[in-house]
Amino acid sequence: MTNLKWQLPLTLVFFISGILLAVTLRTISASDQNPWRQRNENLVAMIETQEKIIANLEKSIEENRAYLDRCQQELAAGKKELETLQERLRQLKVWAGLTEAKGPGIIVTLDDNREGAEAAQAANPTQFKPEDYLIHDKHLLYIINDLRVGGAEAISVNDQRIVTSSDIRCVGPMILVNTTRLAPPYTIKAIGNPQELMEILEQPESEYSILKMAGFPVSLEAKEEVVIPPYKGGYQFTYTEAKEE
Amino acid sequence: MLKIDKWQGYLFIVLFLLGILITVQFRTQQNFLNDLTLQKTEDLVMMLKKLHDKRSGLEKELQELNRQTQIFQKDVSEGAVLAENLRHELKRLEIALGLVPVKGPGITITITTESPLVYLDLVDILNELWASGAEAIAINDQRITSWTKIYWDKNTFSLTINDQELLYPCTIKAIGDPGQLEAGLRLVGGVLDDLAIYKIYPVITREEEIEIPAAAPPVLYYISGST
């Protein structure tokens, strides 16, 4: 009886094993006997080719999308940089006098002293020096310097904007500002604190006061708004280059 | 100690073999299901057709992406060109405004201690240099700009540039054509002749390269520039 104790489970095990083995063998033989196998193999080859192509396409698409993302970011960064640069350019153009300037300030007018000249000529023709009764380049130059000392932020003479490199000189009776011929009367406009600008020109030893005392027809007026046109000249550098730090 | 029965040993071996068998059978079945050649032909044809459709869809997508990429690349490179132009323009204005240090050929004008120089002499010299084509000027390494204040300070009794007393020897540096700059100063009846009346004899030296420092950017309160 002790034998039967393990014989029963063993029989069961062998029985199941037998069934399993049979099924396995049937499966294997069935696959070999499939009549469409040859045709299916061609189809499968085609399917596999397609799958490979699709995998490659998907890889390309993924790479392209990543690249596009980078481009978009670069473009956005570029746009931001452009905005920064344009903002800076607007600022520099204002400083460089390339834009029309508006603001409080003063208007100075200067004219040749024709009455004084006629009177002097009539009184003493031999001693008469006509140039003593004309506005000269130096008068304009020194008044402009006074205005700069008074904190003028923009200056023009007869609508010629005065910039850093503006020069004022005379050729015969003609005054050239920015190499443009000007004729009297001269109107100097300056933007800045009107009070300070007036004070500096009205100092007793200033060029303006000297002209006034000499009898030239000059005037000085504070304005709430002065409009100064932009500099029309160029900023070209032939000899100068920025020193890299 | 637990005694292992003989039959327990046999049963172990048998169950072990059974386990292997089941595994093998499962694998075989799995392979059978995965093996495309064993599927119905219609299914395979259908699958191939679907793959074709998918492929052409992906190809269209890729074309679209390529088109977008080209547009972006164009935009990016155009933006880069625009930025480069802007930077060039900015540099030019920064040089003009004296906001960057510069170098180039030019002249130095040295005026020694004994000279009874007045501030208007400096104004005259600067004006003559600008007229002679100077591109950048500094007096004692103070860059000259539209906002430079040159005056006689009545409180300190000193010639003052931007609130700093002018110290001697005074050196004026100007970048430009050295010959033209010197010729401008030496014009008959010009600046040097005027200075000579007051026994001021500046020493002019032509230089192959001089360096001029930058000025501080201006601080404007009253101007409102419109573009």
Side-chain angles (χ1 to χ4, degrees):
Chain A
M1 262 335 255
T2 42
N3 280 356
L4 272 178
K5 204 179 177 184
W6 57 273
Q7 272 169 344
L8 190 63
L10 196 61
T11 311
L12 215 68
V13 164
F14 279 138
F15 183 69
I16 294 169
S17 309
I19 290 173
L20 276 173
L21 261 173
V23 169
T24 307
L25 286 173
R26 277 255 301 272
T27 311
I28 291 164
S29 66
S31 70
D32 286 339
Q33 283 160 13
N34 189 328
W36 304 108
R37 194 181 166 93
Q38 186 55 46
R39 198 175 147 189
N40 279 5
E41 265 172 7
N42 290 338
L43 279 171
V44 167
M46 285 161 80
I47 284 172
E48 277 166 358
T49 311
Q50 290 300 320
E51 281 174 343
K52 251 182 231 156
I53 292 170
I54 284 170
N56 280 335
L57 281 171
E58 281 172 343
K59 204 173 151 224
S60 296
I61 286 172
E62 204 185 340
E63 284 168 1
N64 261 349
R65 286 201 178 125
Y67 181 70
L68 262 181
D69 267 358
R70 281 203 304 278
C71 280
Q72 264 161 338
Q73 278 164 15
E74 217 176 296
L75 200 64
K79 274 200 183 123
K80 218 173 164 194
E81 199 203 355
L82 275 184
E83 272 169 28
T84 314
L85 291 174
Q86 272 158 349
E87 188 49 47
R88 172 82 174 151
L89 188 62
R90 270 192 285 277
Q91 171 80 85
L92 291 189
K93 276 184 167 175
V94 171
W95 289 351
L98 295 173
T99 58
E100 185 184 85
K102 280 182 196 163
I106 60 165
I107 295 182
V108 187
T109 56
L110 312 168
D111 205 349
D112 294 339
N113 187 2
R114 293 190 194 85
E115 281 177 30
E118 281 165 21
Q121 194 170 16
N124 196 347
T126 46
Q127 298 256 306
F128 174 63
K129 285 194 205 156
E131 64 268 26
D132 287 350
Y133 299 91
L134 299 177
I135 298 289
H136 291 278
D137 51 347
K138 290 283 168 74
H139 298 133
L140 294 180
L141 181 64
Y142 297 158
I143 287 174
I144 286 168
N145 188 69
D146 283 345
L147 290 172
R148 279 177 169 163
V149 175
E153 296 176 359
I155 305 171
S156 69
V157 180
N158 286 12
D159 285 344
Q160 277 296 317
R161 183 74 169 260
I162 302 300
V163 297
T164 307
S165 56
S166 288
D167 59 313
I168 298 165
R169 52 168 33 178
C170 63
V171 174
M174 213 80 76
I175 295 182
L176 305 183
V177 174
N178 294 339
T179 329
T180 303
R181 279 184 286 141
L182 303 185
Y186 303 100
T187 306
I188 304 174
K189 296 181 191 169
I191 292 175
N193 183 327
Q195 201 60 40
E196 284 174 23
L197 292 172
M198 299 276 281
E199 274 170 21
I200 202 138
L201 290 194
E202 283 171 338
Q203 286 185 88
E205 72 281 11
S206 81
E207 201 65 23
Y208 176 82
S209 296
I210 290 167
L211 285 174
K212 195 176 179 182
M213 292 204 300
F216 280 80
V218 295
S219 73
L220 184 55
E221 196 184 353
K223 289 272 186 185
E224 268 179 33
E225 185 174 87
V226 175
V227 180
I228 293 183
Y231 176 57
K232 294 176 197 80
Y235 282 118
Q236 289 298 324
F237 298 98
T238 314
Y239 301 94
T240 310
E241 55 177 306
K243 196 182 106 195
E244 302 305 328
E245 283 150 295
Chain B
M1 192 180 148
L2 192 71
K3 186 176 179 283
I4 298 170
D5 282 338
K6 218 181 194 176
W7 67 267
Q8 277 176 328
Y10 288 130
L11 192 59
F12 171 75
I13 292 165
V14 166
L15 285 177
F16 182 72
L17 287 173
L18 182 63
I20 290 175
L21 256 175
I22 289 174
T23 310
V24 168
Q25 166 63 11
F26 185 75
R27 283 258 189 96
T28 313
Q29 199 70 24
Q30 214 52 30
N31 282 343
F32 178 77
L33 288 175
N34 283 342
D35 189 347
L36 284 173
T37 52
L38 303 178
Q39 309 302 315
K40 283 192 206 151
T41 307
E42 310 83 285
D43 288 350
L44 291 180
V45 170
M46 179 62 79
M47 188 175 171
L48 190 59
K49 195 183 164 296
K50 282 203 167 154
L51 286 173
H52 264 300
D53 291 349
K54 186 176 182 184
R55 176 183 163 183
S56 56
L58 289 175
E59 277 168 350
K60 274 195 195 121
E61 176 79 16
L62 193 59
Q63 266 175 17
E64 172 64 24
L65 287 174
N66 277 333
R67 202 177 59 82
Q68 283 185 34
T69 306
Q70 273 172 8
I71 292 170
F72 268 123
Q73 280 174 331
K74 197 163 155 268
D75 284 357
V76 167
S77 66
E78 276 174 2
V81 169
L82 201 57
E84 192 48 48
N85 285 342
L86 273 174
R87 268 191 286 270
H88 182 76
E89 183 66 10
L90 285 175
K91 187 58 81 185
R92 210 158 66 90
L93 290 183
E94 280 170 349
I95 291 173
L97 288 163
L99 300 177
V100 288
V102 288
K103 60 178 183 182
I107 59 169
T108 59
I109 304 154
T110 312
I111 300 163
T112 49
T113 322
E114 306 90 64
S115 305
L117 197 68
V118 299
Y119 77 97
L120 291 178
D121 294 331
L122 288 181
V123 174
D124 284 339
I125 292 171
L126 292 180
N127 186 55
E128 185 52 55
L129 289 172
W130 292 128
S132 304
E135 295 180 346
I137 306 177
I139 300 178
N140 281 2
D141 279 341
Q142 288 226 49
R143 180 78 163 264
I144 303 302
T145 71
S146 277
W147 297 275
T148 307
K149 297 177 179 178
I150 302 170
Y151 59 100
W152 174 258
D153 191 326
K154 280 177 280 187
N155 301 318
T156 58
F157 280 99
S158 55
L159 207 171
T160 307
I161 299 179
N162 288 339
D163 303 328
Q164 281 182 34
E165 187 188 339
L166 185 88
L167 300 172
Y168 292 93
C170 162
T171 306
I172 303 169
K173 296 180 189 171
I175 293 178
D177 179 339
Q180 209 180 314
L181 292 173
E182 185 172 353
L185 294 173
R186 291 195 191 284
L187 278 176
V188 177
V191 178
L192 287 195
D193 284 357
D194 283 350
L195 289 174
I197 297 171
Y198 303 99
K199 305 230 179 324
I200 303 171
Y201 304 103
V203 178
I204 299 173
T205 322
R206 296 189 191 191
E207 309 275 356
E208 269 178 28
E209 180 168 300
I210 49 178
E211 290 181 1
I212 291 182
V219 184
L220 306 185
Y221 298 106
Y222 299 98
I223 206 170
S224 54
S226 56
T227 35

